[in-house]
Amino acid sequence: MDWMTWARENTDPDQASWKPEALSDVLVLDCSTGSFAGLYASSLLAEMGARVIRIEPPEGDLARKMTPFGEFIQGTGLPYLIEGRNKEHITLDRGQSQGATILKALAKKADVFIETSPPGWMEAHGLGYAALSELNPRLVYVALNTFGQSGELSDTAKKASWHCYDTVAQALSGFVSTTGIPESMTAFPEHTRVPTRMGNWMGWYAGGAFAGLSVMTALYVRDLTGRGQFIDISPAEALMCLNNYALHFYHMTGQVIERPGNIEPAAHPYCYVRCKDGMLFLAGYADPNWKALCSIIDRMDLVDAYPTVKDRTDPQKAIEIIAEIEKFTLQQTREELVALWLAYKGPGVTVAGEILKPEETIELEHWYERRALVKITEAPWGELLIQGTPVKMSETPPRIKWVCRKVGADNEYVYLDLLGYSSNKLAQLKGQGVV
Amino acid sequence: MTFRSMEELFEQGEALKGVRILDITRIILGPWASTLLAELGAEVVHVEIPGAGDLLIRAVGPQGQFPRNISPGMMCASANKYYLAVDLHKPEGLDLIKRLAASSDIIMENFKPGTFDKWGIGYRQLRELNAGIVYLSMQGFGNWGSLATRPSYDAYAQGITGLAEITGFPDAMGVKSSAWIGDFLSGTVAAFYTMAALYHRKRTGKGQFIDLSQAEVLLRCMDWTWLYGFLKKKRRERFGNRDMAVVPSCIVRVEDGFVALAGFSEAEFEGLCLAMNRPDLLVYKPIEQRLVEAETIYEAIETWARTRKTGEIRELGERHGFAVAQVMNVKDLHQSPHFNQRHSIWKFDDPLWGDLCYPMALHLADTPGRIRWSMRPVGFDNEYVLRKMVGCSAAEVAALYENGVVGRWNEQMAFTKPPVGWDGQQGLLFRE
């Protein structure tokens, strides 16, 4: 059997329900508040089969309200619908002492505890790692906050009760300072030539991914030692780790990597250029490949003007080169340009690829074949299109079992199952505003 | 608060001690996945070809700079690994890979789909040698599907997913992150899935094949883009430094730089209105109102911030409870007491290169991540790997060199070599 057929047959997401789940013996409590870093971390675990109990305050978590232009379905925002996957949703006011007591009872049974409160908040309510690990030494406890759980900024965040926000993490990480259009590209309006945040919640996702990895690592260690541990993840630091060589290089040379627009400072052209109907990715940076690129746009004069890699990666010259290439590309569409590059048969290798707008990306069949995007119809939300999982696995494939649940939808089952609460007791707690 | 010293950190256990990874990956995506696990204690053998090594990343330095012969491009996705250089086009080279695979827990590769299968070292063949092997294949678009044969680069992944088109300002152009985020973020989640597979193996003894797509990772992390597009049939535009789903959460220009601030709960927003001395904005206290009137709120904040200094806004944030951070550049980070106290800015003496600095975010209290050494020259640890791990005799190693199956760096290429003036010994982990 050829490789691709084998790979497809053995990792087909539609066959997932015939296979076991890697984390089916793991119970996770996700107490995150208004942070998709926590929610993404628990999604990773839930997709791999962990039982994730999502604990919200009685009125629902702030994260349910985070949604563009006020788009809600039945009171829940779009991002939360996506990140509610496979989780059982219960409510609990952990700020009340009775709520805190109940949370401790749940933590006694749990393997993993996720929280994103301001530093010190959990301790102040008797729910910090020290308290919970005394009840349950096997607990893996991950605290996610932009400023971390120690250090002078953390002390400030503790005093000022600063929550875990994506934009703040992006700024603090150094990532924003290396993203965006540089001052020197004067063709663009002044207010657009500034340090720029990533359009998505990159800080939160980075933090969530580091938290997921750290939790899995701690669970692995726990199998050997019998003990859980405390994990301190700062989404800002996670994103800092993903910012190429900026820090390493500064330490060695004292040079600060500045935001380069769509240019790669270490290889040029390896960049985006503008064309008639959008942008195009272009690569042709080694000398023979640069020649190939120049020959396609019929500008062999540029080969002489910028003959070496050193010439081309000079920041000022790099911008000049873009301007020269764009004289050509701005006259044509992405489709025409890609066809032109594919038709090139001369020496050297140069690559062109179209930059898509989201409404174009969403049309690509590939994502649907691989269930990277999935359509699910589920009450009470209706028909939705959400992201699937970016990985296919042969033995324990990740999967999406349900999209999301309403606030408190699983109260009855979870409280009965884990703590033996009768419906009378639950009604009483509800009356007191605890659940 | 007291902070742990480097010595105290090293006294702690290593989570993945005893886990062996055979890392035959290139550029960033694969090398970063294995670096994370190496920072957590795994023993990682990084395989390159003799001579130039992984030229596509070793040759990457800003404006062609390779300080001390270090490749900045490779360095940032390399730590704590053993460097082996093997010619995979020779049958003896493939034999060596199989011998290493037999005693490894994890194999990582990011060659084109099916390449390793064709060479006889794919998952189908290696699982016969080692039923418990976790085999991670990292691709631009995965090992199957209609785009699977397309080559991928980080910048292309950022482009085809639409990530670049939703980043930046509406009246300029879409921008990609200059960081190779398609590689780094994907490598991070790849490490997560690898650990999940290892956890399963511990219970069942079974390894497995993992097929990870870089583009799909970026797609997954584009929050509300797809659901919004599907339901509203509208394009997600670019919104510059404003978060349209969390209002307010933004980056603004201040007199002396740029500052991020955010306050989404009603209490935090109220604090911000007080700080700005704009009680009139309190009509937007209900969140639903703010999301609809985001434009008005952001304009008010931007106008207010423009004539203020970073310090003033930070103080107001402390007093009124909305979160604030300066837009840090790398110099700010390097000098920041906060990150240095936490060893998140990890400064250390490399056994080969001298003083270096890495970022570090793996703060597990009992098994903290750590950096022991940076990247190393091509084939620098051949002897360590062949003698200690594979168990070759000295004569066998000599024959492997003789036949060109293993080799070292290329003297003509600085970024493949040890530092200038290297004494032939420094930094070696196994000396004959």
Side-chain angles (χ1 to χ4, degrees), chain A residues 245-258, chain B residues 61-72 75 330-331 334 355-357:
Chain A
Y245 46 77
L247 180 68
H248 321 62
F249 189 68
Y250 173 79
H251 181 83
M252 294 189 292
T253 65
Q255 295 172 41
V256 175
I257 301 288
E258 304 283 358
Chain B
Q63 287 119 57
Q65 297 175 81
F66 302 98
R68 311 178 207 170
N69 287 355
I70 296 174
S71 157
M75 171 196 212
V330 71
K331 186 178 174 191
H334 193 261
D355 67 302
L356 295 176
C357 178

PDB file of all heavy atoms in Angstrom, chain A residues 245-258, chain B residues 61-72 75 330-331 334 355-357:
ATOM      1  N   TYR A 245      15.278  34.284  17.174  1.00  0.00           N
ATOM      2  CA  TYR A 245      16.541  34.453  17.879  1.00  0.00           C
ATOM      3  C   TYR A 245      16.686  35.844  18.497  1.00  0.00           C
ATOM      4  O   TYR A 245      17.786  36.247  18.865  1.00  0.00           O
ATOM      5  CB  TYR A 245      17.708  34.212  16.912  1.00  0.00           C
ATOM      6  CG  TYR A 245      17.513  34.920  15.587  1.00  0.00           C
ATOM      7  CD1 TYR A 245      17.724  36.289  15.469  1.00  0.00           C
ATOM      8  CD2 TYR A 245      17.068  34.231  14.462  1.00  0.00           C
ATOM      9  CE1 TYR A 245      17.503  36.944  14.261  1.00  0.00           C
ATOM     10  CE2 TYR A 245      16.850  34.877  13.257  1.00  0.00           C
ATOM     11  CZ  TYR A 245      17.063  36.233  13.165  1.00  0.00           C
ATOM     12  OH  TYR A 245      16.842  36.886  11.980  1.00  0.00           O
ATOM     13  N   ALA A 246      15.581  36.595  18.603  1.00  0.00           N
ATOM     14  CA  ALA A 246      15.693  38.001  19.020  1.00  0.00           C
ATOM     15  C   ALA A 246      16.535  38.153  20.288  1.00  0.00           C
ATOM     16  O   ALA A 246      17.471  38.958  20.329  1.00  0.00           O
ATOM     17  CB  ALA A 246      14.302  38.590  19.219  1.00  0.00           C
ATOM     18  N   LEU A 247      16.194  37.386  21.314  1.00  0.00           N
ATOM     19  CA  LEU A 247      16.864  37.531  22.606  1.00  0.00           C
ATOM     20  C   LEU A 247      18.297  36.991  22.553  1.00  0.00           C
ATOM     21  O   LEU A 247      19.241  37.643  23.043  1.00  0.00           O
ATOM     22  CB  LEU A 247      16.066  36.775  23.670  1.00  0.00           C
ATOM     23  CG  LEU A 247      16.632  36.825  25.079  1.00  0.00           C
ATOM     24  CD1 LEU A 247      16.531  38.235  25.656  1.00  0.00           C
ATOM     25  CD2 LEU A 247      15.899  35.836  25.985  1.00  0.00           C
ATOM     26  N   HIS A 248      18.457  35.830  21.968  1.00  0.00           N
ATOM     27  CA  HIS A 248      19.780  35.199  21.884  1.00  0.00           C
ATOM     28  C   HIS A 248      20.767  36.130  21.153  1.00  0.00           C
ATOM     29  O   HIS A 248      21.907  36.295  21.553  1.00  0.00           O
ATOM     30  CB  HIS A 248      19.724  33.888  21.115  1.00  0.00           C
ATOM     31  CG  HIS A 248      18.508  33.032  21.368  1.00  0.00           C
ATOM     32  ND1 HIS A 248      17.231  33.445  21.082  1.00  0.00           N
ATOM     33  CD2 HIS A 248      18.396  31.777  21.851  1.00  0.00           C
ATOM     34  CE1 HIS A 248      16.375  32.477  21.399  1.00  0.00           C
ATOM     35  NE2 HIS A 248      17.059  31.458  21.871  1.00  0.00           N
ATOM     36  N   PHE A 249      20.279  36.704  20.071  1.00  0.00           N
ATOM     37  CA  PHE A 249      21.130  37.530  19.209  1.00  0.00           C
ATOM     38  C   PHE A 249      21.473  38.848  19.902  1.00  0.00           C
ATOM     39  O   PHE A 249      22.603  39.318  19.837  1.00  0.00           O
ATOM     40  CB  PHE A 249      20.392  37.782  17.888  1.00  0.00           C
ATOM     41  CG  PHE A 249      21.232  38.428  16.833  1.00  0.00           C
ATOM     42  CD1 PHE A 249      22.294  37.733  16.251  1.00  0.00           C
ATOM     43  CD2 PHE A 249      20.966  39.716  16.396  1.00  0.00           C
ATOM     44  CE1 PHE A 249      23.067  38.324  15.254  1.00  0.00           C
ATOM     45  CE2 PHE A 249      21.737  40.310  15.402  1.00  0.00           C
ATOM     46  CZ  PHE A 249      22.792  39.612  14.837  1.00  0.00           C
ATOM     47  N   TYR A 250      20.510  39.423  20.599  1.00  0.00           N
ATOM     48  CA  TYR A 250      20.775  40.661  21.337  1.00  0.00           C
ATOM     49  C   TYR A 250      21.872  40.425  22.376  1.00  0.00           C
ATOM     50  O   TYR A 250      22.789  41.238  22.528  1.00  0.00           O
ATOM     51  CB  TYR A 250      19.502  41.173  22.017  1.00  0.00           C
ATOM     52  CG  TYR A 250      19.791  42.353  22.909  1.00  0.00           C
ATOM     53  CD1 TYR A 250      19.954  43.635  22.371  1.00  0.00           C
ATOM     54  CD2 TYR A 250      19.960  42.190  24.285  1.00  0.00           C
ATOM     55  CE1 TYR A 250      20.267  44.711  23.174  1.00  0.00           C
ATOM     56  CE2 TYR A 250      20.281  43.258  25.097  1.00  0.00           C
ATOM     57  CZ  TYR A 250      20.435  44.526  24.541  1.00  0.00           C
ATOM     58  OH  TYR A 250      20.760  45.588  25.337  1.00  0.00           O
ATOM     59  N   HIS A 251      21.792  39.311  23.060  1.00  0.00           N
ATOM     60  CA  HIS A 251      22.777  39.013  24.107  1.00  0.00           C
ATOM     61  C   HIS A 251      24.193  38.949  23.515  1.00  0.00           C
ATOM     62  O   HIS A 251      25.146  39.409  24.127  1.00  0.00           O
ATOM     63  CB  HIS A 251      22.440  37.689  24.786  1.00  0.00           C
ATOM     64  CG  HIS A 251      23.387  37.305  25.884  1.00  0.00           C
ATOM     65  ND1 HIS A 251      23.262  37.789  27.163  1.00  0.00           N
ATOM     66  CD2 HIS A 251      24.478  36.507  25.880  1.00  0.00           C
ATOM     67  CE1 HIS A 251      24.241  37.300  27.903  1.00  0.00           C
ATOM     68  NE2 HIS A 251      24.994  36.509  27.159  1.00  0.00           N
ATOM     69  N   MET A 252      24.326  38.392  22.324  1.00  0.00           N
ATOM     70  CA  MET A 252      25.650  38.221  21.726  1.00  0.00           C
ATOM     71  C   MET A 252      26.160  39.485  21.044  1.00  0.00           C
ATOM     72  O   MET A 252      27.367  39.706  20.979  1.00  0.00           O
ATOM     73  CB  MET A 252      25.626  37.071  20.707  1.00  0.00           C
ATOM     74  CG  MET A 252      25.377  35.710  21.337  1.00  0.00           C
ATOM     75  SD  MET A 252      25.616  34.362  20.147  1.00  0.00           S
ATOM     76  CE  MET A 252      24.255  34.616  19.033  1.00  0.00           C
ATOM     77  N   THR A 253      25.260  40.288  20.501  1.00  0.00           N
ATOM     78  CA  THR A 253      25.699  41.406  19.650  1.00  0.00           C
ATOM     79  C   THR A 253      25.245  42.785  20.109  1.00  0.00           C
ATOM     80  O   THR A 253      25.721  43.796  19.599  1.00  0.00           O
ATOM     81  CB  THR A 253      25.160  41.237  18.209  1.00  0.00           C
ATOM     82  OG1 THR A 253      23.728  41.341  18.260  1.00  0.00           O
ATOM     83  CG2 THR A 253      25.553  39.888  17.619  1.00  0.00           C
ATOM     84  N   GLY A 254      24.274  42.830  21.024  1.00  0.00           N
ATOM     85  CA  GLY A 254      23.708  44.118  21.408  1.00  0.00           C
ATOM     86  C   GLY A 254      22.779  44.703  20.348  1.00  0.00           C
ATOM     87  O   GLY A 254      22.301  45.831  20.502  1.00  0.00           O
ATOM     88  N   GLN A 255      22.505  43.941  19.285  1.00  0.00           N
ATOM     89  CA  GLN A 255      21.609  44.453  18.241  1.00  0.00           C
ATOM     90  C   GLN A 255      20.167  44.073  18.535  1.00  0.00           C
ATOM     91  O   GLN A 255      19.863  42.933  18.858  1.00  0.00           O
ATOM     92  CB  GLN A 255      21.998  43.889  16.870  1.00  0.00           C
ATOM     93  CG  GLN A 255      23.364  44.354  16.387  1.00  0.00           C
ATOM     94  CD  GLN A 255      23.783  43.602  15.128  1.00  0.00           C
ATOM     95  OE1 GLN A 255      22.986  43.366  14.230  1.00  0.00           O
ATOM     96  NE2 GLN A 255      25.051  43.218  15.072  1.00  0.00           N
ATOM     97  N   VAL A 256      19.288  45.067  18.382  1.00  0.00           N
ATOM     98  CA  VAL A 256      17.860  44.848  18.607  1.00  0.00           C
ATOM     99  C   VAL A 256      17.199  44.523  17.272  1.00  0.00           C
ATOM    100  O   VAL A 256      17.342  45.269  16.314  1.00  0.00           O
ATOM    101  CB  VAL A 256      17.220  46.114  19.227  1.00  0.00           C
ATOM    102  CG1 VAL A 256      15.711  45.949  19.342  1.00  0.00           C
ATOM    103  CG2 VAL A 256      17.842  46.406  20.588  1.00  0.00           C
ATOM    104  N   ILE A 257      16.508  43.393  17.220  1.00  0.00           N
ATOM    105  CA  ILE A 257      15.768  43.047  16.004  1.00  0.00           C
ATOM    106  C   ILE A 257      14.514  43.928  15.951  1.00  0.00           C
ATOM    107  O   ILE A 257      13.708  43.923  16.874  1.00  0.00           O
ATOM    108  CB  ILE A 257      15.353  41.550  16.028  1.00  0.00           C
ATOM    109  CG1 ILE A 257      16.591  40.654  16.129  1.00  0.00           C
ATOM    110  CG2 ILE A 257      14.494  41.198  14.822  1.00  0.00           C
ATOM    111  CD1 ILE A 257      17.444  40.569  14.897  1.00  0.00           C
ATOM    112  N   GLU A 258      14.400  44.703  14.888  1.00  0.00           N
ATOM    113  CA  GLU A 258      13.250  45.601  14.751  1.00  0.00           C
ATOM    114  C   GLU A 258      12.184  44.945  13.886  1.00  0.00           C
ATOM    115  O   GLU A 258      12.456  43.998  13.156  1.00  0.00           O
ATOM    116  CB  GLU A 258      13.689  46.914  14.097  1.00  0.00           C
ATOM    117  CG  GLU A 258      14.814  47.647  14.821  1.00  0.00           C
ATOM    118  CD  GLU A 258      14.357  48.384  16.062  1.00  0.00           C
ATOM    119  OE1 GLU A 258      13.136  48.357  16.355  1.00  0.00           O
ATOM    120  OE2 GLU A 258      15.220  48.980  16.740  1.00  0.00           O
TER     121      GLU A 258
ATOM    122  N   GLY B  61      21.273  33.932   9.392  1.00  0.00           N
ATOM    123  CA  GLY B  61      21.679  34.908  10.402  1.00  0.00           C
ATOM    124  C   GLY B  61      21.324  36.283   9.879  1.00  0.00           C
ATOM    125  O   GLY B  61      21.441  36.518   8.680  1.00  0.00           O
ATOM    126  N   PRO B  62      20.852  37.190  10.746  1.00  0.00           N
ATOM    127  CA  PRO B  62      20.435  38.500  10.243  1.00  0.00           C
ATOM    128  C   PRO B  62      21.590  39.207   9.536  1.00  0.00           C
ATOM    129  O   PRO B  62      22.684  39.323  10.106  1.00  0.00           O
ATOM    130  CB  PRO B  62      19.972  39.250  11.487  1.00  0.00           C
ATOM    131  CG  PRO B  62      20.471  38.472  12.643  1.00  0.00           C
ATOM    132  CD  PRO B  62      20.709  37.067  12.192  1.00  0.00           C
ATOM    133  N   GLN B  63      21.347  39.657   8.352  1.00  0.00           N
ATOM    134  CA  GLN B  63      22.365  40.267   7.501  1.00  0.00           C
ATOM    135  C   GLN B  63      23.652  39.440   7.453  1.00  0.00           C
ATOM    136  O   GLN B  63      24.751  39.963   7.453  1.00  0.00           O
ATOM    137  CB  GLN B  63      22.674  41.695   7.964  1.00  0.00           C
ATOM    138  CG  GLN B  63      21.548  42.674   7.631  1.00  0.00           C
ATOM    139  CD  GLN B  63      20.978  43.279   8.884  1.00  0.00           C
ATOM    140  OE1 GLN B  63      21.703  43.886   9.665  1.00  0.00           O
ATOM    141  NE2 GLN B  63      19.691  43.088   9.101  1.00  0.00           N
ATOM    142  N   GLY B  64      23.455  38.144   7.422  1.00  0.00           N
ATOM    143  CA  GLY B  64      24.598  37.244   7.266  1.00  0.00           C
ATOM    144  C   GLY B  64      25.547  37.196   8.450  1.00  0.00           C
ATOM    145  O   GLY B  64      26.714  36.834   8.300  1.00  0.00           O
ATOM    146  N   GLN B  65      25.071  37.526   9.640  1.00  0.00           N
ATOM    147  CA  GLN B  65      25.967  37.524  10.814  1.00  0.00           C
ATOM    148  C   GLN B  65      25.899  36.190  11.564  1.00  0.00           C
ATOM    149  O   GLN B  65      24.810  35.690  11.852  1.00  0.00           O
ATOM    150  CB  GLN B  65      25.569  38.634  11.786  1.00  0.00           C
ATOM    151  CG  GLN B  65      25.708  40.025  11.220  1.00  0.00           C
ATOM    152  CD  GLN B  65      25.176  41.051  12.200  1.00  0.00           C
ATOM    153  OE1 GLN B  65      25.851  41.446  13.145  1.00  0.00           O
ATOM    154  NE2 GLN B  65      23.943  41.474  11.996  1.00  0.00           N
ATOM    155  N   PHE B  66      27.062  35.655  11.910  1.00  0.00           N
ATOM    156  CA  PHE B  66      27.161  34.413  12.692  1.00  0.00           C
ATOM    157  C   PHE B  66      28.141  34.619  13.836  1.00  0.00           C
ATOM    158  O   PHE B  66      29.279  34.158  13.777  1.00  0.00           O
ATOM    159  CB  PHE B  66      27.591  33.249  11.785  1.00  0.00           C
ATOM    160  CG  PHE B  66      26.651  33.043  10.639  1.00  0.00           C
ATOM    161  CD1 PHE B  66      26.930  33.570   9.387  1.00  0.00           C
ATOM    162  CD2 PHE B  66      25.442  32.374  10.830  1.00  0.00           C
ATOM    163  CE1 PHE B  66      26.035  33.415   8.335  1.00  0.00           C
ATOM    164  CE2 PHE B  66      24.541  32.218   9.778  1.00  0.00           C
ATOM    165  CZ  PHE B  66      24.844  32.742   8.529  1.00  0.00           C
ATOM    166  N   PRO B  67      27.718  35.324  14.887  1.00  0.00           N
ATOM    167  CA  PRO B  67      28.643  35.662  15.966  1.00  0.00           C
ATOM    168  C   PRO B  67      29.265  34.397  16.582  1.00  0.00           C
ATOM    169  O   PRO B  67      28.543  33.437  16.865  1.00  0.00           O
ATOM    170  CB  PRO B  67      27.779  36.416  16.983  1.00  0.00           C
ATOM    171  CG  PRO B  67      26.371  36.305  16.520  1.00  0.00           C
ATOM    172  CD  PRO B  67      26.359  35.829  15.119  1.00  0.00           C
ATOM    173  N   ARG B  68      30.564  34.406  16.773  1.00  0.00           N
ATOM    174  CA  ARG B  68      31.332  33.275  17.346  1.00  0.00           C
ATOM    175  C   ARG B  68      31.145  31.977  16.541  1.00  0.00           C
ATOM    176  O   ARG B  68      31.272  30.880  17.089  1.00  0.00           O
ATOM    177  CB  ARG B  68      30.931  32.994  18.794  1.00  0.00           C
ATOM    178  CG  ARG B  68      30.899  34.209  19.692  1.00  0.00           C
ATOM    179  CD  ARG B  68      30.443  33.796  21.090  1.00  0.00           C
ATOM    180  NE  ARG B  68      29.806  34.907  21.789  1.00  0.00           N
ATOM    181  CZ  ARG B  68      29.153  34.817  22.928  1.00  0.00           C
ATOM    182  NH1 ARG B  68      29.061  33.655  23.541  1.00  0.00           N
ATOM    183  NH2 ARG B  68      28.619  35.862  23.489  1.00  0.00           N
ATOM    184  N   ASN B  69      30.686  32.057  15.299  1.00  0.00           N
ATOM    185  CA  ASN B  69      30.346  30.899  14.454  1.00  0.00           C
ATOM    186  C   ASN B  69      29.007  30.259  14.828  1.00  0.00           C
ATOM    187  O   ASN B  69      28.683  29.169  14.365  1.00  0.00           O
ATOM    188  CB  ASN B  69      31.428  29.811  14.465  1.00  0.00           C
ATOM    189  CG  ASN B  69      32.655  30.233  13.674  1.00  0.00           C
ATOM    190  OD1 ASN B  69      32.666  31.280  13.045  1.00  0.00           O
ATOM    191  ND2 ASN B  69      33.694  29.410  13.716  1.00  0.00           N
ATOM    192  N   ILE B  70      28.252  30.931  15.671  1.00  0.00           N
ATOM    193  CA  ILE B  70      26.929  30.414  16.020  1.00  0.00           C
ATOM    194  C   ILE B  70      25.931  30.869  14.955  1.00  0.00           C
ATOM    195  O   ILE B  70      25.980  32.007  14.499  1.00  0.00           O
ATOM    196  CB  ILE B  70      26.483  30.958  17.394  1.00  0.00           C
ATOM    197  CG1 ILE B  70      27.419  30.438  18.488  1.00  0.00           C
ATOM    198  CG2 ILE B  70      25.038  30.590  17.697  1.00  0.00           C
ATOM    199  CD1 ILE B  70      27.142  31.025  19.850  1.00  0.00           C
ATOM    200  N   SER B  71      25.035  29.972  14.578  1.00  0.00           N
ATOM    201  CA  SER B  71      23.963  30.346  13.662  1.00  0.00           C
ATOM    202  C   SER B  71      22.761  30.800  14.488  1.00  0.00           C
ATOM    203  O   SER B  71      22.152  29.983  15.184  1.00  0.00           O
ATOM    204  CB  SER B  71      23.562  29.147  12.816  1.00  0.00           C
ATOM    205  OG  SER B  71      22.243  29.330  12.337  1.00  0.00           O
ATOM    206  N   PRO B  72      22.400  32.091  14.426  1.00  0.00           N
ATOM    207  CA  PRO B  72      21.229  32.536  15.199  1.00  0.00           C
ATOM    208  C   PRO B  72      19.975  31.768  14.804  1.00  0.00           C
ATOM    209  O   PRO B  72      19.162  31.418  15.661  1.00  0.00           O
ATOM    210  CB  PRO B  72      21.099  34.018  14.824  1.00  0.00           C
ATOM    211  CG  PRO B  72      22.471  34.420  14.391  1.00  0.00           C
ATOM    212  CD  PRO B  72      23.063  33.206  13.726  1.00  0.00           C
ATOM    213  N   MET B  75      20.249  28.294  16.426  1.00  0.00           N
ATOM    214  CA  MET B  75      20.390  28.357  17.882  1.00  0.00           C
ATOM    215  C   MET B  75      19.059  28.434  18.615  1.00  0.00           C
ATOM    216  O   MET B  75      18.870  27.768  19.644  1.00  0.00           O
ATOM    217  CB  MET B  75      21.213  29.610  18.195  1.00  0.00           C
ATOM    218  CG  MET B  75      21.296  29.974  19.629  1.00  0.00           C
ATOM    219  SD  MET B  75      21.874  31.682  19.709  1.00  0.00           S
ATOM    220  CE  MET B  75      22.800  31.618  21.219  1.00  0.00           C
ATOM    221  N   VAL B 330      13.482  43.694  22.806  1.00  0.00           N
ATOM    222  CA  VAL B 330      14.336  42.636  23.325  1.00  0.00           C
ATOM    223  C   VAL B 330      15.338  43.170  24.349  1.00  0.00           C
ATOM    224  O   VAL B 330      15.721  42.479  25.293  1.00  0.00           O
ATOM    225  CB  VAL B 330      15.011  41.913  22.144  1.00  0.00           C
ATOM    226  CG1 VAL B 330      16.059  42.776  21.490  1.00  0.00           C
ATOM    227  CG2 VAL B 330      15.580  40.583  22.572  1.00  0.00           C
ATOM    228  N   LYS B 331      15.709  44.429  24.204  1.00  0.00           N
ATOM    229  CA  LYS B 331      16.623  45.037  25.178  1.00  0.00           C
ATOM    230  C   LYS B 331      15.928  45.186  26.534  1.00  0.00           C
ATOM    231  O   LYS B 331      16.507  44.885  27.575  1.00  0.00           O
ATOM    232  CB  LYS B 331      17.060  46.405  24.640  1.00  0.00           C
ATOM    233  CG  LYS B 331      18.098  47.089  25.463  1.00  0.00           C
ATOM    234  CD  LYS B 331      18.490  48.412  24.822  1.00  0.00           C
ATOM    235  CE  LYS B 331      19.439  49.166  25.735  1.00  0.00           C
ATOM    236  NZ  LYS B 331      19.645  50.539  25.279  1.00  0.00           N
ATOM    237  N   HIS B 334      15.791  41.740  28.112  1.00  0.00           N
ATOM    238  CA  HIS B 334      17.101  41.271  28.562  1.00  0.00           C
ATOM    239  C   HIS B 334      17.474  41.890  29.898  1.00  0.00           C
ATOM    240  O   HIS B 334      18.127  41.259  30.723  1.00  0.00           O
ATOM    241  CB  HIS B 334      18.134  41.610  27.489  1.00  0.00           C
ATOM    242  CG  HIS B 334      19.455  40.936  27.667  1.00  0.00           C
ATOM    243  ND1 HIS B 334      20.539  41.572  28.230  1.00  0.00           N
ATOM    244  CD2 HIS B 334      19.870  39.680  27.367  1.00  0.00           C
ATOM    245  CE1 HIS B 334      21.571  40.733  28.248  1.00  0.00           C
ATOM    246  NE2 HIS B 334      21.197  39.573  27.741  1.00  0.00           N
ATOM    247  N   ASP B 355      29.343  32.726  27.221  1.00  0.00           N
ATOM    248  CA  ASP B 355      28.080  33.192  27.805  1.00  0.00           C
ATOM    249  C   ASP B 355      27.002  33.369  26.743  1.00  0.00           C
ATOM    250  O   ASP B 355      27.225  33.971  25.711  1.00  0.00           O
ATOM    251  CB  ASP B 355      28.291  34.498  28.571  1.00  0.00           C
ATOM    252  CG  ASP B 355      28.660  35.631  27.633  1.00  0.00           C
ATOM    253  OD1 ASP B 355      29.684  35.501  26.919  1.00  0.00           O
ATOM    254  OD2 ASP B 355      27.903  36.619  27.572  1.00  0.00           O
ATOM    255  N   LEU B 356      25.804  32.822  27.031  1.00  0.00           N
ATOM    256  CA  LEU B 356      24.675  32.901  26.112  1.00  0.00           C
ATOM    257  C   LEU B 356      23.408  33.194  26.903  1.00  0.00           C
ATOM    258  O   LEU B 356      23.403  33.155  28.140  1.00  0.00           O
ATOM    259  CB  LEU B 356      24.497  31.575  25.352  1.00  0.00           C
ATOM    260  CG  LEU B 356      25.629  31.159  24.402  1.00  0.00           C
ATOM    261  CD1 LEU B 356      25.336  29.777  23.824  1.00  0.00           C
ATOM    262  CD2 LEU B 356      25.831  32.173  23.283  1.00  0.00           C
ATOM    263  N   CYS B 357      22.340  33.452  26.160  1.00  0.00           N
ATOM    264  CA  CYS B 357      21.063  33.780  26.798  1.00  0.00           C
ATOM    265  C   CYS B 357      19.917  33.183  26.008  1.00  0.00           C
ATOM    266  O   CYS B 357      19.893  33.270  24.772  1.00  0.00           O
ATOM    267  CB  CYS B 357      20.938  35.297  26.865  1.00  0.00           C
ATOM    268  SG  CYS B 357      19.395  35.860  27.565  1.00  0.00           S
TER     269      CYS B 357
END
